[in-house]
Amino acid sequence: MSKTIKKIGVLTSGGDSPGMNAAIRSVVRTCAYHNIGCVGIYRGYQGMIEGDFKELGPRSVNNIINKGGTFLKSARSQEFRTPEGRKLAHENLVKEGIDALIVIGGDGSFTGGLIFNTEYDFPVIGIPGTIDNDIYGTSHTLGYDTALNTVVEVIDKIRDTASSHNRLFLVEVMGRDAGHIALNAGIGAGAEEILIPEEDLGLERLLESLKKSKTTGKTSSIVVIAEGDKTGKNVFELKDYVESNFPEYDVRVSVLGHMQRGGAPSCFDRVLASRLGVKAVESILEGKSNLMVGLLNDKIELTPLEQAIKGHTEINKELLRVSDIMSI
């Protein structure tokens, strides 16, 4: 890429996550620092197709570092999946004088950016924003740390009720394809058992664990379950199964759902977002494209977008062992 960059567009796409606003702020202010323009693209790729743009300057991103969600909004765009939709999006970018794109989102958002770059040779840099922490090439995605803290805080409250009534709580957390939230929050909240998609522990193992808890004197238990775990068809079927084998248990289900996505980002996510935003803009100015900025060994590193999309994150085996030991 040899063209001079005078204006960068930034958008958020897919599921929102705490820290997205902080990342937008970082992109806007880094652009201002380097004396180039920055345009906010509202509602992700759909806004790009509809030309929903707004010039952003340093003061337009005041007081958003502490806010969850994304003030640029997010949307899923079926139209952008078509060549016609992408052609219209490109025409709008050219008309606006936008020379490069920063996409804040997950693998679906990065896939759209990669296809767009292939078709139009348009510079794209990705910033990973998803609470599931399931993007290859970074140890932490934006929003993951905040989601963990939210889940632990909620489970702490649930434990108060579990202990008061001698109840077993099945707590479902987000993680359709990855168990990072369940595993880390489960250990942090002292869960008796943790069920994740990566480890098919099975119903018998769960019953054995609950039986052991009973014999060692535990009168209440918390089981944290990632939504993608297949121990039961769903958490409510799992509840019925446990009750049929342990009629003495008063089993309750708590599905945390979208409360995990919301809330003010943690200090960690705010700092990470600031670092990633600076690196994203400066990578574009250095002539780089088709890369994702991420955190590896506490350094901001670049990973090819294709690798970030196709690579698989690994569950921490040491944490699985720690979980087993702590649940005794």
Side-chain angles (χ1 to χ4, degrees), residues 51 60 81 95 125 137 181 195 256 316:
S60 62
R81 294 173 181 266
K95 195 186 304 178
I125 294 286
I181 291 177
L195 305 180
L256 302 193
N316 190 322

Side-chain angles (χ1 to χ4, degrees), residues 192-209:
E192 278 66 39
E193 192 61 80
I194 301 167
L195 305 180
I196 58 176
E198 293 88 344
E199 298 284 318
D200 184 12
L201 299 182
L203 291 168
E204 292 308 312
R205 157 72 190 268
L206 175 61
L207 292 182
E208 194 59 40
S209 175

Side-chain angles (χ1 to χ4, degrees), residues 40 202 271 279 285 296 309:
V271 174
K279 184 69 171 178
L285 296 181
L296 292 171
I309 295 162

Side-chain angles (χ1 to χ4, degrees), residues 245-305:
N245 284 274
F246 287 96
E248 68 274 20
Y249 261 129
D250 182 7
V251 185
R252 299 298 170 94
V253 170
S254 187
V255 178
L256 302 193
H258 283 78
M259 74 170 70
Q260 296 161 84
R261 284 197 189 280
S266 64
C267 179
F268 181 92
D269 274 328
R270 298 181 199 195
V271 174
L272 178 61
S274 300
R275 295 175 71 187
L276 294 178
V278 170
K279 184 69 171 178
V281 171
E282 293 185 343
S283 294
I284 286 174
L285 296 181
E286 289 166 5
K288 294 172 181 171
S289 180
N290 274 0
L291 299 167
M292 181 197 78
V293 292
L295 183 70
L296 292 171
N297 299 317
D298 202 35
K299 290 183 179 179
I300 304 302
E301 305 283 2
L302 297 168
T303 299
L305 271 183

